[in-house]
Amino acid sequence: MTQAVWTEVWTEVDQYFTDHLVEADPVLDAALAASDAAGLPAIAVAPNQGKLLHLLARLKGARRILEIGTLGGYSTIWLARALPEDGQLISLEFNPRHAEVARTNIASAGLADRVEVRVGPALDTLPTLEGPFDLFFIDADKVNNAVYVQWALRLSTVGSLIIVDNVVRGGCVVDDTSEDPAVLGTRELFELLAAEPRLSATAIQTVGGKSYDGFALALVTAGP
Ligand code: SAH
Ligand code: DHB
Ligand code: MG
């Protein structure tokens, strides 16, 4: 089959999984519609990926979550719904317009009491945070992925989970001649994951409506 046909199959299977396993959700649909109406790019995680984040946060029993890269708050809502009532999610977002759309979506989801969106380049806001966080979802500028994982480690405790989105990007990750800063950043991330003794990590390729990509998952196994 050609690539174009596979993309159709992946999209159809994603839809089939979502129809069966992801409950109808007017709040999340409205968050996507509002993001779209505000002109935000359609790059939120897919519904079945959002539910994976939600299930991982529940498995972890996460009480504090740090997200880097809010966009319109779609993944934020999936993650925050896994928190207990006194839990907290902080999401870092560079673009004030994205943050504004996200705050409205988060309030509509009834999660304003436990979610805070902080505006600014993550490299500026990360040093103002106090850990530990139980779960990290890193989904912002790919060039800084290795630095973000180092920050996550600093703000973690033994047993914290670090998830990094978009580590495959159509297979570009294996192109060792690439000069694309995002690819270089992702390859730096894998060097770090390989070398860091406090992390036990894996990575998974994904296909679907969002094409061919993947995520990395790392468990913090030892303290600083
Ligand atoms: N997690 C979202 C998608 C995030 S898209 C979801 O799945 O629903 C990536 C976001 O990261 C964009 O909103 C972009 O503005 C933001 N971003 C890019 N560079 C950043 C930086 N240096 N610091 C913080 N956020 C950044
Ligand atoms: C892009 C960013 C993402 O976080 C994603 O999941 C897909 C695409 C992008 O910048 O193109
Ligand atoms: Mg992403």
Side-chain angles (χ1 to χ4, degrees), residues 41-46 49 68-69 71 137-142 165-166 169 210 213-214:
I43 55 175
V45 293
Q49 292 171 339
I68 309 182
L71 192 65
F137 181 48
I138 300 175
D139 191 21
D141 49 327
K142 314 307 171 189
D165 196 25
N166 311 117
R169 305 306 284 267
K210 304 262 162 180
D213 212 319

Side-chain angles (χ1 to χ4, degrees), residues 43-45 67 69-71 74-75 92-95 98 120-122 137 139-141 148:
I43 55 175
V45 293
E67 176 176 68
T70 319
L71 192 65
Y74 183 78
S75 55
L92 309 181
E93 173 55 53
F94 167 75
N95 187 316
H98 295 186
F137 181 48
D139 191 21
D141 49 327
Y148 292 152

Side-chain angles (χ1 to χ4, degrees), residues 114-135:
R114 61 202 89 166
V115 178
E116 194 188 323
V117 181
R118 296 212 186 156
V119 179
L123 291 179
D124 290 351
T125 48
L126 279 163
T128 69
L129 298 177
E130 248 185 80
F133 293 90
D134 308 303
L135 187 148

Side-chain angles (χ1 to χ4, degrees), residues 81-96:
R81 281 177 171 174
L83 289 170
E85 245 171 68
D86 61 345
Q88 184 191 29
L89 186 155
I90 297 177
S91 190
L92 309 181
E93 173 55 53
F94 167 75
N95 187 316

